[in-house]
Amino acid sequence: MTLKRIILSLFGLVALTLFLRDADARFFDLPPLPPPEEYGNILLNQNSENNGVRPAVFSHWLHRTKYTCRVCHLELEFELKSNTTYVTEEANRQGRYCGACHNGKIAFGHSKDNCGRCHNGDISAGKEKFDQLIQLPRAPFGNRINWARAIEEGTIKPRSSLFEGYDSMPFDKRLVMVVEWGNIPPAIFPHKAHTPWLDCANCHPDIFNIKKKTTKHFSMEKLMNSEFCGVCHLKVAFPLDDCKRCHQR
């Protein structure tokens, strides 16, 4: 094959890949992605505006460099869906929820001078700190950071528990989920990439029934409705746009 044909073939493959990616986005109506420094940021507003204060902003990328997901979503009992956990200022001051760390010792406390650091109603608050993550492994979507590789390589070493002596349970089973559409590779689920971040109870049995053949058939539409993998892989973990991260050949 001549050099010209090789170049044309490579160009065609790149063009086809871009076309299919955009076509998938249109077909599935994937939600538009915010800037990388805002991906995963949420506004907590279950009580704030009702009590005359601005919503509190929470940045997942800022906190996950320090703590794994299980700390907040298991030990501190935050629901995985935003604004479904009833958090009050009183509970925080008693050391629950955010107050477990924001006590003036581990992180800044609940003093009047610090109110605006969270209750600012700005989804982009703290974006100036995002550049500090430039050394982390890169990814094409979301925060554009490969968090699984970062923790695997030791680039970040987030705590997995607020208590001493905890170790995540090693589990290396890979699940292969065959896709009904032709020419689409199976979706691969690696437990090994998830166990450093999550506890088994985060997924089982509420999101995925642990018994064989008892989990309902799930589709991309259900994922986009924040079901199954879409609980995380829609607005916090790498988004569904990154098809090849799951559908590997």
Side-chain angles (χ1 to χ4, degrees):
M1 183 179 291
T2 65
L3 178 61
K4 182 178 179 180
R5 287 186 177 181
I6 292 174
I7 293 174
L8 288 174
S9 297
L10 290 174
F11 178 80
L13 286 173
V14 171
L16 180 60
T17 300
L18 293 174
F19 171 78
L20 289 175
R21 186 193 68 186
D22 293 339
D24 287 344
R26 290 194 302 269
F27 180 82
F28 290 115
D29 195 23
L30 296 175
L33 296 176
E37 65 274 11
E38 294 182 16
Y39 184 79
N41 290 7
I42 59 175
L43 289 178
L44 303 176
N45 193 27
Q46 197 173 32
N47 297 313
S48 299
E49 290 183 315
N50 291 335
N51 290 299
V53 295
R54 294 178 179 177
V57 62
F58 178 86
S59 170
H60 276 90
W61 58 260
L62 179 63
H63 287 80
R64 73 195 301 182
T65 60
K66 301 177 177 66
Y67 297 96
T68 63
C69 311
R70 75 171 300 280
V71 172
C72 290
H73 294 296
L74 187 74
E75 293 183 355
L76 299 184
E77 300 182 316
F78 279 97
E79 296 288 341
L80 288 170
K81 186 177 181 180
S82 62
N83 287 302
T84 55
T85 303
Y86 193 75
V87 181
T88 64
E89 181 67 15
E90 180 182 0
N92 282 326
R93 291 185 180 275
Q94 291 174 353
R96 299 181 61 199
Y97 304 121
C98 309
C101 295
H102 287 281
N103 52 14
K105 298 177 182 179
I106 300 175
F108 64 86
H110 282 74
S111 63
K112 189 173 182 179
D113 294 339
N114 288 324
C115 293
R117 298 181 68 171
C118 295
H119 288 279
N120 51 52
D122 183 4
I123 197 71
S124 65
K127 64 180 180 181
E128 67 280 355
K129 299 178 183 179
F130 190 73
D131 291 341
Q132 299 174 9
L133 308 183
I134 191 65
Q135 79 280 4
L136 299 185
R138 311 311 296 169
F141 299 98
N143 294 131
R144 298 183 183 173
I145 294 170
N146 190 322
W147 294 98
R149 184 175 298 171
I151 199 171
E152 180 182 354
E153 295 177 351
T155 314
I156 58 173
K157 297 180 180 180
R159 289 186 60 180
S160 295
S161 176
L162 295 177
F163 308 100
E164 298 296 333
Y166 171 82
D167 289 317
S168 61
M169 183 181 72
F171 191 59
D172 196 16
K173 185 174 182 179
R174 297 169 78 246
L175 303 180
V176 179
M177 293 165 279
V178 178
V179 181
E180 293 181 352
W181 290 6
N183 299 322
I184 302 236
I188 307 298
F189 178 86
H191 279 88
K192 185 177 180 180
H194 291 78
T195 51
W197 292 101
L198 295 161
D199 193 271
C200 303
N202 288 127
C203 296
H204 304 297
D206 291 343
I207 300 175
F208 292 96
N209 196 314
I210 201 168
K211 295 181 180 179
K212 290 183 178 180
K213 299 182 180 181
T214 54
T215 296
K216 296 179 181 179
H217 175 77
F218 58 97
S219 61
M220 281 292 296
E221 288 79 7
K222 290 186 177 180
L223 267 59
M224 289 175 56
N225 194 36
S226 298
E227 299 179 55
F228 303 116
C229 309
V231 171
C232 297
H233 288 283
L234 197 62
K235 296 181 179 180
V236 177
F238 70 82
L240 301 176
D241 306 67
D242 203 350
C243 308
K244 294 180 181 179
R245 290 282 290 276
C246 296
H247 295 278
Q248 307 167 11
R249 290 202 179 275

